[in-house]
Structures are given as C-alpha cells and as structure tokens.
Amino acid sequence: METHTINFWKMPDADKRVYFFAFLAMMAFAGNSLLCRLALKHAVIDAANFTTIRIMSGALVLGLLVRLRGGVYGTAGSWWSALALFVYAAGFSFAYNHLPTALGALLLFGAVQATMLGYGLWHGERLSRKQTVAIICSFAGFVALLSPPFAAPPLPSALLMTAAGVAWGVYSLRGKQAGDPLLATAGNFLRASAFAAALSLVLWAGLLPDKMGVVYAIGSGVFASGLGYAIWYKALSGLPATHAATMQLSVPVFAAVGGVIFLGEAITLPFFLASTAILGGIAVMIFDKAQAP
C-alpha cells in the first residue's frame, strides 16, 4: 500500500510554495461563497447578473493569463463543459439568495464529492467495509442537514445548490481529459459567458446593480474564480492526489468562518454535528482509497 505523509517544516522550499498556493486556492474557493452572499444580501444585484459578471470577469482574467503565457485564447474547452460550468455558477448564485454561507458551501462541496465518488462506483470501483460505513455516515449527515432540528434550509435553494455541486462535479470529471487545464478553463469561461448573458436577458427585470454589487461580482470572477483556479492548477502539479482531495475539505470551514466574521452568521451545534458527519465520511473515503493495495 502507498500512503502520503507530510511535515511542512521539513519540506524543500519548492514544496512549501505548492502547499501555500493550494491554501490560497482554498481561500479563494471559499471566497466565492462569501462574495456571492455579501452581494445578494448587502448590495443591489440579482443572482442572474451576479452570475454573468462573475463568469465574464473570470473569462477576461483567464484570457489575460493565457495570452501572457503565450497561448491562444478560446481554442480549448468545449460547449458541454461550458454548459456544466454555467449550470454550476447559476445554481450557486440563485441558491445563495436564501442559504447562509456555510450551509451553501457544505451542500456544494458534498454534492461535488458525491458526484465524483458516484462516477467511480459506476465505473467499477469497489467500496471497502470502512468506506461503506463512511458513505452511510455522510449520507445520514446530509439528510439531517436538510431536516429539523438541524439547518432545514428552504428546499428549492438546497436543491439548487446540490444541482450546482453535481454540475461542478461533472465539469471536474470532464476536465480530467481536457489537456491543458488553464487553456481549457479559459475557453470554457468564454463559452459560458454566452449562456450567462442569455440568462440575464431572459430574467431582466429592470434592476440595475449598484457599485458594490458589481464589485463583489467582479471580485468573485477575477480573484475567487479566475486567479483562484489558475493558482489551484499550479498547485495540483505538485500535490499528491489524496492531499489535493482532502485539502478541499477546508473550503466549507473557511466559508463558515467568513460567514461568522463578515455576515454575523451563527454556527449551531446541530449544523456542526451534521457537517462533521459529512466531511468526516468523505475524508475516510479518500484516505481509505489512497491506502488500498
């Protein structure tokens, strides 16, 4: 069996930079939840326009990065991947109309991991006894999260965020065969901009975003999405697969902390217990798979 252990302080400087970049990427991903919730709660902007500005600004910064690297913008990616990206971004934004930051991030993350694990099972991966118990615990935590006396969020919003997570899982799975990840992501963001613009036109209700709404959306697109993905892809080249997967467990935690600090959201004991069951079960799944002979 093969296992990976790390001692950060004994790493070469190059490896320390990899984990530092990964940490920045996780902060950026959590920042997407925080910026979206801030925009919809404390600024004047609707979910459709937030989605459009986020995707278009992300496309611009990714295009700039591609050009600076000497690549040709818009040649990679696909319309199907762009559609999955758009469904994720739109479902994410509309769900955050009524979900607190931490709960939204946890639902999103859980759905992403469930999609990718389900894909592996569909293609013949076997579960150990420990993994079976872990997935049952995660599912029980997910069900509890949606039920009284736990979070019991509005069901339409919870389903939207779950759909967003499934779409992101599909996008991630398709991205594994997409070649250069930066080129593919840039091309997909460019194509997804067309879907987002159409959504804004269809749902246009005469409401113009205010300055802070636009700032939050651009911040989400440029920093938390475009630069965040670019940093993450740079880190992935030097990370063991299990470390990359488990580091993503930190995203709902960072989002929860941000929600408490910037939005005054409370973390209740039932939410903590349910999220521990979900994230703990996923962690066991990842580690047990990594240690299989």
Side-chain angles (χ1 to χ4, degrees):
M1 67 178 61
E2 181 182 359
T3 62
H4 297 285
T5 59
I6 59 174
N7 185 327
F8 182 81
W9 302 112
K10 294 183 179 180
M11 286 181 183
D13 288 344
D15 290 343
K16 288 180 181 178
R17 284 195 292 271
V18 166
Y19 281 91
F20 177 68
F21 284 137
F23 171 78
L24 289 180
M26 296 305 99
M27 293 289 287
F29 296 161
N32 268 323
S33 293
L34 186 61
L35 287 167
C36 185
R37 187 66 177 147
L38 280 167
L40 296 174
K41 186 175 181 180
H42 294 297
V44 179
I45 191 169
D46 62 280
N49 281 324
F50 182 92
T51 301
T52 299
I53 296 171
R54 175 191 175 188
I55 291 178
M56 287 185 171
S57 58
L60 287 173
V61 73
L62 286 165
L64 178 62
L65 291 174
V66 168
R67 295 298 297 271
L68 288 174
R69 209 181 63 173
V72 180
Y73 183 34
T75 57
S78 73
W79 283 103
W80 283 113
S81 291
L83 180 61
L85 174 64
F86 163 73
V87 171
Y88 147 70
F92 176 94
S93 299
F94 280 91
Y96 265 129
N97 272 319
H98 302 290
L99 292 179
T101 309
L103 178 56
L106 185 60
L107 288 172
L108 177 74
F109 175 83
V112 171
Q113 295 300 315
T115 300
M116 300 185 77
L117 290 170
Y119 178 85
L121 293 175
W122 181 261
H123 284 80
E125 292 186 11
R126 298 287 184 89
L127 291 178
S128 68
R129 183 175 300 176
K130 187 186 297 184
Q131 287 177 315
T132 302
V133 173
I135 204 167
I136 291 172
C137 287
S138 286
F139 182 74
F142 188 82
V143 172
L145 193 67
L146 303 181
S147 309
F150 287 76
L155 186 58
S157 296
L159 292 176
L160 275 173
M161 190 60 85
T162 302
V166 171
W168 185 252
V170 170
Y171 180 80
S172 299
L173 289 167
R174 289 183 58 84
K176 289 184 176 182
Q177 292 85 35
D180 187 308
L182 182 61
L183 278 175
T185 302
N188 291 331
F189 263 77
L190 181 62
R191 292 173 176 84
S193 296
F195 294 124
L199 178 69
S200 287
L201 288 174
V202 170
L203 298 182
W204 174 251
L207 177 68
L208 291 174
D210 67 358
K211 181 175 71 173
M212 287 310 301
V214 173
V215 167
Y216 287 138
I218 291 176
S220 178
V222 171
F223 297 105
S225 297
L227 293 177
Y229 297 154
I231 292 170
W232 178 234
Y233 294 138
K234 182 176 179 64
L236 276 178
S237 62
L239 281 175
T242 51
H243 292 181
T246 51
M247 284 194 77
Q248 293 179 62
L249 294 170
S250 66
V251 175
V253 178
F254 289 144
V257 172
V260 170
I261 294 173
F262 296 103
L263 288 160
E265 297 175 348
I267 303 299
T268 64
L269 179 60
F271 174 82
F272 175 79
L273 294 174
S275 60
T276 299
I278 295 170
L279 298 180
I282 293 171
V284 170
M285 288 284 294
I286 293 169
F287 278 116
D288 196 62
K289 179 179 178 181
Q291 295 175 11

